[in-house]
Amino acid sequence: MNETMSVPCYPDFVPLSLELMNTLHPRLSLTADGVSEFTFSCLYLFRNRYNYQISRNGPNGGFIISGKQQEKFFMTPCESPDRDILESLFNTHDYWKNISETILESSQAQLAEWGITITEDRNNFDYLYSRDELAKLSGKKFHKKKNLVNQFQHAYTHEQRPLTKELVPQAMEILDQWRQDKAFSQTGNDGDYWAAKEALDLLDILPLRGYIYFADGKPAAYCLGESVAKGKMFTIHFEKAIDHYKGIYQFMNQAFAIALPRFFTYINREQDLGDEGLRQAKMTYRPSGFVQKYSARRTTCIF
């Protein structure tokens, strides 16, 4: 795919398409904070869930992303828009989502003057882990994780292989079994199944990389992600495994950290979305920190 499309200037928006990848990916990969949502792959794969549309803050400006969940929101990965554009965006959207610390630091005082209230969005904080700590699992704080890794290694012969297009059918087997194990059909919610499936379908197009894991010669798990924050962080977008293999998630977590190039200081394992069970699970890996995110609403109309 070599075709490149341009993004129109605000107030015009276009839907996210693969043809926009060459325009968006280079700029988004250079954003400093490493917000997990702000990659072309993540935006594209969840475009239908959030009805993403994209615009540009002037001919050479950053991107403005419009989306909708329960409410309509906008996101600004690269910079804070000027006052006139913010006024217009708040007239057509309910709130401003996923404001990074870098953007907030440069504009917080001015935003307050304009009647915009900033709120910490803990449910959307990305969890950051030291690549080195996950690779070693040393000390008491990782004792239980290390035991599960050892149990898996003693119970099964195991192999780690780079996830290539040739191995996508095996990864699909894992994904389909994961979906079946989670019994999503009983709740009417498929989780991120369709986004994960499309990521595998587009593995040779999107800037994603990962590994697949075999237990006793059978496909057992895979993970898939990409570089963010100017190459300082690696964000894992999808991590799927067959629960039958006890310790498979812990084994995959460590094996991936070992295989990841050392120039990646941190592994970003995304947010918990307010799910208490998921939050507890992420905290057991002792995060080194968070990619903090904020939301904003206009509380007084003084534009």
Side-chain angles (χ1 to χ4, degrees):
M1 186 194 67
N2 296 316
E3 185 179 0
T4 300
M5 286 179 60
S6 61
V7 177
C9 291
Y10 185 83
D12 295 323
F13 284 85
V14 293
L16 275 171
S17 66
L18 280 176
E19 289 72 28
L20 291 173
M21 184 175 75
N22 291 340
T23 300
L24 272 65
H25 173 62
R27 182 73 181 270
L28 292 175
S29 66
L30 293 176
T31 53
D33 300 86
V35 173
S36 62
E37 292 92 339
F38 293 163
T39 73
F40 176 80
S41 299
C42 192
L43 291 169
Y44 181 76
L45 293 170
F46 290 92
R47 69 196 182 283
N48 294 326
R49 176 177 292 187
Y50 298 109
N51 191 29
Y52 283 142
Q53 306 276 315
I54 189 159
S55 182
R56 194 157 202 159
N57 183 27
N60 299 310
F63 304 113
I64 301 170
I65 300 156
S66 174
K68 185 174 183 180
Q69 200 169 12
Q70 285 82 15
E71 296 180 290
K72 194 171 183 182
F73 60 85
F74 65 94
M75 302 187 294
T76 57
C78 308
E79 63 198 16
S80 177
D82 62 28
R83 183 169 180 168
D84 290 340
I85 290 180
L86 272 179
E87 176 183 9
S88 178
L89 286 165
F90 274 114
N91 285 338
T92 54
H93 296 75
D94 296 294
Y95 70 106
W96 187 1
K97 183 179 180 182
N98 286 339
I99 305 169
S100 69
E101 285 193 283
T102 296
I103 289 179
L104 189 61
E105 287 170 1
S106 65
S107 58
Q108 187 169 10
Q110 196 168 45
L111 293 174
E113 291 178 5
W114 295 347
I116 297 172
T117 299
I118 309 294
T119 305
E120 183 179 275
D121 190 1
R122 173 63 179 84
N123 292 346
N124 277 299
F125 280 15
D126 289 332
Y127 287 72
L128 292 181
Y129 302 89
S130 161
R131 186 210 61 80
D132 189 58
E133 284 193 351
L134 292 187
K136 294 176 179 176
L137 293 181
S138 301
K140 292 182 178 180
K141 66 180 181 179
F142 293 118
H143 179 70
K144 291 182 179 179
K145 305 296 184 185
K146 189 68 173 178
N147 278 347
L148 286 166
V149 171
N150 291 337
Q151 288 178 40
F152 174 83
Q153 290 176 322
H154 291 149
Y156 306 100
T157 60
H158 47 84
E159 181 184 9
Q160 173 182 257
R161 297 173 64 182
L163 181 51
T164 62
K165 193 67 176 176
E166 292 70 30
L167 292 172
V168 163
Q170 289 92 326
M172 287 287 191
E173 288 181 32
I174 296 164
L175 180 61
D176 287 336
Q177 186 61 54
W178 170 85
R179 183 191 190 195
Q180 183 175 326
D181 290 344
K182 298 300 180 185
F184 285 123
S185 60
Q186 298 177 12
T187 64
N189 175 13
D190 278 324
D192 61 355
Y193 172 82
W194 293 107
K197 182 178 185 301
E198 189 171 28
L200 293 174
D201 288 335
L202 299 175
L203 187 61
D204 59 343
I205 296 176
L206 295 174
L208 299 171
R209 59 175 291 187
Y211 288 92
I212 185 169
Y213 300 85
F214 295 85
D216 290 345
K218 297 179 181 179
Y222 78 88
C223 60
L224 201 58
E226 62 186 311
S227 171
V228 296
K230 303 179 182 179
K232 293 181 294 185
M233 247 178 246
F234 192 94
T235 292
I236 297 178
H237 293 311
F238 304 103
E239 191 176 53
K240 307 299 179 188
I242 298 173
D243 289 334
H244 165 74
Y245 300 102
K246 185 177 181 180
I248 182 61
Y249 278 105
Q250 291 76 18
F251 169 76
M252 173 169 54
N253 192 309
Q254 183 186 36
F256 180 79
I258 293 171
L260 195 64
R262 291 183 177 273
F263 58 78
F264 289 109
T265 306
Y266 294 105
I267 295 176
N268 181 328
R269 300 181 66 81
E270 300 193 329
Q271 61 281 97
D272 59 46
L273 298 175
D275 182 306
E276 284 302 322
L278 187 56
R279 179 168 297 186
Q280 290 176 19
K282 288 181 180 290
M283 290 300 295
T284 62
Y285 268 103
R286 305 296 194 270
S288 299
F290 300 91
V291 177
Q292 298 185 32
K293 307 173 197 175
Y294 302 82
S295 63
R297 294 179 184 266
R298 184 172 59 182
T299 53
T300 56
C301 187
I302 61 172
F303 281 104

